[in-house]
């Protein structure tokens, strides 16, 4: 990372003081959604919040919202409290940035507040 010359955006929990660099912007995170801080509590929510600050259109890849990571094969987890809790947070973020078009490119996602778009039709 120290060889990378571009800007790095990260959160205070992700970077210990000894790894901070001049080209690094360390963001304060809070689970509360607002335009005054970056959402925390979930890496995908934080990344989307950051994207909404700079983009007019965002395409989500790998946002399945299962417990675990993208390789989890557990569709029965759609109704678990974690998915419901974070669906609410993603909805709040969507309402905070109505000028940004956000599309979910995962047809099996438990995240249901964004319109689905087929990634194969987008990148052709």
């Amino acid at each position: 990372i120290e060889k990378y010359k571009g800007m790095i955006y990260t959160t205070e929990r992700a970077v210990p003081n000894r790894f901070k660099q001049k080209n690094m912007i360390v963001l304060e995170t809070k689970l509360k959604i607002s335009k005054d801080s970056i959402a925390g509590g979930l890496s995908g929510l934080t990344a989307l919040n950051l994207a909404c600050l700079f983009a007019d259109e965002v395409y989500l890849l790998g946002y399945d919202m299962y417990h675990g990571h993208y390789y989890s094969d557990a569709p029965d987890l759609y109704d678990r409290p974690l998915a419901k809790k974070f669906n609410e947070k993603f909805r709040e973020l969507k309402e905070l940035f109505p000028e940004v078009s956000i599309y979910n490119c995962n047809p099996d996602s438990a995240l249901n507040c964004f319109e689905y778009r087929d990634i194969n039709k987008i990148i052709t």
Side-chain angles (χ1 to χ4, degrees):
I1 287 180
E2 61 273 355
K3 293 179 182 179
Y4 181 71
K5 301 299 180 206
M7 289 305 301
I8 298 171
Y9 294 87
T10 186
T11 63
E12 72 264 354
R13 288 180 51 209
V15 182
N17 281 331
R18 68 179 187 267
F19 293 113
K20 291 181 181 168
Q21 302 176 155
K22 291 179 182 176
N23 63 332
M24 194 175 279
I25 294 178
V26 181
L27 304 163
E28 179 182 355
T29 62
K30 298 179 180 177
L31 192 51
K32 183 175 180 186
I33 306 294
S34 82
K35 285 201 175 187
D36 298 327
S37 65
I38 301 297
L42 181 72
S43 58
L45 183 63
T46 304
L48 179 57
N49 192 160
L50 186 59
C52 287
L53 295 174
F54 298 100
D56 296 327
E57 202 167 72
V58 177
Y59 294 89
L60 305 177
L61 301 172
Y63 281 67
D64 60 12
M65 297 306 297
Y66 299 141
H67 286 221
H69 292 87
Y70 68 93
Y71 48 81
S72 295
D73 184 21
D76 61 313
L77 296 177
Y78 280 133
D79 293 324
R80 295 271 175 101
L82 182 67
K84 287 182 180 179
K85 172 184 175 181
F86 283 113
N87 256 310
E88 291 171 16
K89 294 297 177 186
F90 278 98
R91 278 189 200 93
E92 286 180 42
L93 190 66
K94 179 181 174 183
E95 291 170 7
L96 190 62
F97 293 95
E99 68 280 7
V100 179
S101 298
I102 305 169
Y103 304 101
N104 190 346
C105 296
N106 182 346
D108 299 318
S109 178
L111 184 60
N112 56 21
C113 60
F114 303 114
E115 182 180 332
Y116 169 73
R117 290 284 169 95
D118 185 340
I119 190 65
N120 295 310
K121 293 180 180 174
I122 296 166
I123 59 173
T124 57

